[in-house]
């Protein structure tokens, strides 16, 4: 028996595990202190009532012979896939409902898509980046190249014609930086992928936070993207499903690589290795796309974006460089006094009892920066930014 040796190439622990351990040690030493987290990537507002009502109704259906449901449809129930396709229609994107695959979350599909792609592919990943993109490709033993996000390009790297890659990971609005690509920038990536017979894996998990109508919320709003891209999205941040688990992936019929329709490969993978999301959860997800569901979800998003504004104003007052927050729940700030990421984390925790996410955990180019999250209670956010202001003096 042999193990997958590539797992030994991973860092020994996950970024967020390190943070939890440091915070736990601080709380043990200072049990009387309240610690406020601006590093949290989890939602804190409860799910909208209309979603809970839909799931209660679906749960009750399961108690009656006439409405009981067993195994679900392979790609997700048609009622949800149809609702998602109609939602894309509001973006000007035409989809067939069978191009939509319901999943248990964007993170799962971003990792699982690796199953249908050869280990021989080279991968181009932005730096800094959500660790899952890197780790899942290390697990597969692929060559990883990096597109450098920097303060100068506002952490929105663009294609380099001297770098040739087979798979490209893009996330917009971005986690961790909160930066958002405009249509012209995404058009450059689509053109690059088409010229190099490459595949774009586009993470749109935060698309519902985009407030600027001129910014794209789907890669498929860019001409030619259906021939070179797969899009993954989620209800986690849109509707508070982080603990409920539901997302979706769009694989266009027009996406053909090496003479093979990628749609068929993903369908085969899912029907073999995934049994779907529960009927109850999918009914809850369907409610997101009703007029009232959309309104209630938008109210929660507006709450988080108001938190982001409070953080932005504090950083502006302190003269701290940042990006993000307008169309994203994340703000990417430069650490005061040119401090290293983990040094600033330790200092802020000790002095202000505030937790942030060290940028170094997201890649080499994250060093000297940290991620702030707007997912929190309003009063906690106000208290936390006061601590940041004091630490910057």
């Amino acid at each position: 028996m042999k193990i997958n040796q590539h797992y030994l190439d991973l860092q020994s622990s996950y970024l967020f595990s390190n943070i939890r351990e440091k915070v736990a040690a601080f709380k043990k030493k200072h049990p009387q202190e309240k610690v406020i987290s601006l590093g949290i990537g989890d939602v804190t507002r409860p799910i909208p009532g209309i979603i809970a009502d839909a799931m209660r109704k679906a749960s009750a259906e399961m108690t009656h012979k006439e409405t009981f449901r067993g195994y679900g449809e392979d790609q997700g129930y048609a009622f949800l896939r149809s609702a998602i396709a109609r939602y894309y229609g509001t973006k000007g994107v035409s989809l067939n409902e069978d191009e939509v695959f319901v999943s248990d979350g964007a993170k799962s599909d971003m990792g699982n898509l690796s199953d249908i792609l050869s280990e021989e592919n080279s991968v181009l990943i932005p730096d800094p980046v959500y660790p899952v993109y890197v780790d899942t490709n290390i697990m597969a033993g692929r060559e990883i190249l990096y597109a450098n996000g920097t303060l100068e390009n506002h952490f929105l790297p663009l294609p380099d014609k001297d770098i040739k890659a087979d798979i490209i990971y893009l996330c917009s609005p971005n986690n961790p930086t909160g930066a958002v690509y405009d249509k012209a920038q995404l058009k450059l990536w689509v053109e690059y992928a088409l010229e190099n017979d490459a595949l774009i894996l586009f993470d749109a998990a935060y698309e519902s936070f985009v407030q600027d109508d001129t910014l794209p919320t789907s890669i498929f709003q860019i001409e030619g993207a259906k021939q070179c891209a797969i899009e993954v999205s989620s209800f986690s941040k849109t509707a508070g499903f982080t603990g409920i688990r539901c997302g979706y992936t769009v694989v266009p019929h027009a996406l053909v690589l090496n003479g093979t329709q990628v749609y068929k490969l993903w369908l085969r993978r899912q029907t073999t290795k995934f049994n779907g999301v529960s009927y109850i959860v999918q009914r809850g997800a369907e409610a997101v796309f009703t007029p009232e569901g959309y309104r209630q979800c938008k109210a929660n998003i507006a709450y988080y974006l108001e938190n982001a504004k409070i953080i932005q104003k504090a950083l502006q007052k302190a003269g701290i460089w940042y990006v993000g927050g307008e169309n994203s729940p994340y703000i990417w700030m430069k650490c005061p006094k040119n401090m290293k990421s983990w040094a600033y984390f330790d200092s802020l925790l000790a002095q202000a009892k505030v937790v942030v996410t060290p940028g170094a955990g997201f890649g080499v180019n994250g060093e000297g920066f940290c991620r702030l999250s707007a997912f929190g209670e309003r009063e906690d956010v106000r208290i936390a930014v006061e601590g940041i202001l004091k630490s910057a003096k």
Side-chain angles (χ1 to χ4, degrees), residues 89-234:
T90 67
K91 302 170 182 276
V93 177
S94 176
L95 291 181
N96 294 321
E97 66 179 53
D98 67 343
E99 293 177 300
V100 179
F101 294 77
V102 177
S103 73
D104 61 356
K107 181 178 181 179
S108 299
D109 277 4
M110 270 297 180
N112 292 333
L113 281 162
S114 177
D115 285 4
I116 64 171
L117 305 172
S118 170
E119 294 180 4
E120 297 175 3
N121 288 307
S122 60
V123 180
L124 182 61
I125 299 177
D127 180 344
V129 71
Y130 184 45
V132 171
Y133 306 162
V134 175
D135 289 352
T136 53
N137 281 288
I138 290 175
M139 292 171 181
R142 294 192 181 94
E143 177 190 10
I144 299 177
L145 309 170
Y146 291 98
N148 291 316
T150 64
L151 187 148
E152 288 72 27
N153 62 25
H154 282 244
F155 291 92
L156 290 170
L158 295 173
D160 182 342
K161 292 184 179 181
D162 294 330
I163 297 177
K164 304 297 182 183
D166 303 305
I167 304 169
I168 304 150
Y169 284 77
L170 296 177
C171 179
S172 181
N174 186 271
N175 179 12
T177 67
V180 186
Y181 281 111
D182 62 27
K183 288 183 179 179
Q185 291 168 326
L186 283 184
K187 185 173 185 290
L188 292 174
W189 278 114
V190 169
E191 290 172 349
Y192 172 92
L194 292 172
E195 289 171 4
N196 291 280
D197 293 321
L199 171 66
I200 295 173
L201 298 181
F202 190 79
D203 187 342
Y206 297 92
E207 56 88 20
S208 59
F209 284 82
V210 175
Q211 305 299 298
D212 185 341
D213 292 339
T214 69
L215 295 174
T217 57
S218 167
I219 190 69
F220 301 125
Q221 290 171 311
I222 309 302
E223 185 179 357
K226 285 187 177 181
Q227 285 76 47
C228 65
I230 292 173
E231 183 160 294
V232 178
S233 196
S234 168

Side-chain angles (χ1 to χ4, degrees), residues 299-317:
N300 280 348
I301 290 169
Y303 181 92
Y304 295 132
L305 288 174
E306 183 60 31
N307 284 347
K309 287 181 181 178
I310 293 170
I311 296 169
Q312 287 176 309
K313 287 179 181 178
L315 297 181
Q316 291 166 7
K317 184 177 180 181

